[in-house]
Each structure stands twice: as C-alpha cells, then as structure tokens.
Amino acid sequence: MSFEDRLGELFRNEDPHAAGPEPAAVIAGARRRRARRRAGAGAAALAVALICGATAVTAGGGRPAGNTAAGNATGELEAASAPSTGAAGSTGAAAPTPSGSPTPSSTRTALPLSPVRQVAPGEKILVTDDTRIWFTANQRCDESRESDGSWHTSFGCRDVRSDNLEHDKPSVYAQTSGNRDRSVVASFYLGPTPSRIVAFFDGKPTVATIVTTAGMKGWTGYYVVLPPMPTGDPSAHRRPADPAIGVYDAEGKLLAENPGTASDGSDERAPQRL
C-alpha cells in the first residue's frame, strides 16, 4: 500500500465529519514534496512521519480544534522534506558566540619598575654634582658640596631603628634638598621589598632608584632627582612645594605614602594604584 493510501486510511478511520483539511489536499501536497526528496532520505522520513501520525491519532482520540491529525501529518512531512541546516544536536557544531563590544584599553601609562642599585656599605653615591648619599646596614646619610668645593652634612645620618619611626606598618620618609636647578629627594622606606618608589609632583610621576646594601633588613633606601620646587609664600599662606612619595608592590598597589604639597599649595597625594 502506498503512503498516500495509508494516510487516507488513517483519516477515514477517524471521524469523517470532523473539521480539518481534506485528505485529498494533504495527499496531493505530500506527493509534490515527495517528488522533491531524494529517494533514500524520502523513505526514511516517510517511515518517521507515518509512525508519528499514527501514534498521534491513536493516543489523541478526537481531533482538537486547530491541531488536526491532518495538520500533524502535514507538519511531519514538511519537516522530513526540509533541507538540513546543521541544527544543534544533528552535527554537534556549536553555535557561534556573539561578538561583544571591545573592552576599552586602559588610559594609564605603565610606569617602569624602580631600578635597583646595590652598593657596598658606606659607599658614596653621587646623585648630582653637589649631592651625594650613602647607606649602611642601619643608617642613611647625605652631604652636599659647598661653593668652595668642600662637602658638608645636609641632614646628617638617620638610624632606621629609631623609636620615632613607624615600625608597625610600611612607612616611607622623605628629605628634600636642592637649588634653582634641581631638587633631590633621598631617604628610606621601612617594609617589605617594593617594586616601585615614585615621586609625584603636580600629578607627574617620576620613578626613584632603590638602593640596597649588605646587612639591610626590612628596609631600603631610595633617591630621585626632580625639577626645582617652588618656595613657599607666607603672605599667601602657601606652603613650600614638596613631592608626594608613593611605594608600590608588583601589582601597582600602594604600600606606603608620604604626602606632599603641589606648586599651588594644595595637597599632593600618591594614587592608590598605578
């Protein structure tokens, strides 16, 4: 028996007076679609359609309005004759991932790590023509050149074990000297080894050089050369300018800060992250 005869028989076995499409129209449409299918694919699809149609009629009993057995059978035949589109589950191919908006790039300029200078204890470092510093296991010292060429102590030596320093948390100290040509900040930091020590003046960062020597434990020295700092103006209640010093770990997180004063007299602060 042909599939059209079988389909007609299914319709006749149901209520012949029920509303729905004429079996003849359905069979004619099925013939046209069948002609367009390849022989092998058509036979397999037809078997699925007949089984599904017969099951729907047997299990459903009377045909509900808008969902007739003829309509179900037609839908099955149309699905069988539709060309393959690589739907999920048939080929295993993943659906393409929608492309999102590009992530904005950071506007920050990455600062280099602080260069590290390792010296012998007491070895004098000529920072500028008229400033030099040195470090021992527990002290930071400095001196400056006078106009006659002789060297004299500027701030003297400072012991990092002093009780008037903060030892319960990372802390950084700053001592600034200079002239009309330049300013020099040379001091030390108490805490775990940092990746960067940065001076900030009027928002501009300058990376300092870290200094280490034999016997140092839990602290490092540093120095940085900057443009000359504006002097204060007592009549305008403006403080002398001084850079802020920030100490950062490898992730750019602020470990310690020594606030400063900007050229306009406002507070200068180191950012929390680089």
Side-chain angles (χ1 to χ4, degrees):
M1 178 184 292
S2 67
F3 84 98
E4 294 90 345
D5 294 336
R6 177 57 179 159
L7 185 59
E9 181 181 340
L10 289 174
F11 284 127
R12 288 191 296 273
N13 287 338
E14 291 192 84
D15 183 3
H17 302 290
E22 289 296 326
V26 175
I27 294 172
R31 284 200 183 101
R32 289 192 295 272
R33 285 187 291 274
R34 186 186 184 195
R36 290 195 297 268
R37 293 197 301 270
R38 292 182 300 177
L46 175 60
V48 173
L50 291 176
I51 293 172
C52 292
T55 302
V57 171
T58 303
R63 289 176 291 172
N67 187 25
T68 63
N72 289 338
T74 303
E76 294 290 345
L77 292 173
E78 287 176 345
S81 62
S84 173
T85 57
S90 60
T91 62
T97 302
S99 58
S101 301
T103 302
S105 59
S106 174
T107 57
R108 293 181 182 273
T109 301
L111 291 175
L113 300 179
S114 284
V116 179
R117 186 168 181 177
Q118 188 169 8
V119 297
E123 179 183 344
K124 293 185 176 180
I125 302 168
L126 190 65
V127 178
T128 66
D129 292 341
D130 53 10
T131 305
R132 62 189 183 187
I133 58 174
W134 65 95
F135 297 88
T136 67
N138 299 304
Q139 288 187 324
R140 169 260 183 215
C141 305
D142 68 84
E143 59 186 8
S144 59
R145 192 197 301 269
E146 302 296 327
S147 56
D148 62 1
S150 61
W151 290 91
H152 296 275
T153 298
S154 297
F155 297 103
C157 293
R158 192 169 187 185
D159 197 311
V160 300
R161 298 167 296 182
S162 174
D163 291 338
N164 64 353
L165 300 176
E166 292 186 280
H167 296 281
D168 59 343
K169 64 178 182 179
S171 54
V172 60
Y173 300 87
Q175 289 179 321
T176 304
S177 62
N179 52 35
R180 62 183 182 182
D181 298 322
R182 66 182 72 90
S183 296
V184 177
V185 184
S187 197
F188 56 87
Y189 157 71
L190 304 179
T193 303
S195 292
R196 295 178 182 87
I197 297 180
V198 185
F200 297 90
F201 185 66
D202 285 348
K204 180 181 179 181
T206 303
V207 177
T209 297
I210 293 174
V211 182
T212 64
T213 192
M216 275 186 173
K217 189 174 181 180
W219 73 284
T220 54
Y222 76 90
Y223 67 86
V224 60
V225 180
L226 301 170
M229 299 286 109
T231 58
D233 185 353
S235 63
H237 304 284
R238 188 172 66 230
R239 297 169 293 173
D242 208 26
I245 305 298
V247 182
Y248 296 88
D249 64 12
E251 303 299 322
K253 179 182 177 182
L254 184 67
L255 299 174
E257 177 194 18
N258 190 308
T261 303
S263 59
D264 62 0
S266 62
D267 291 338
E268 186 91 48
R269 302 300 299 266
Q272 293 296 311
R273 296 195 72 89
L274 292 178

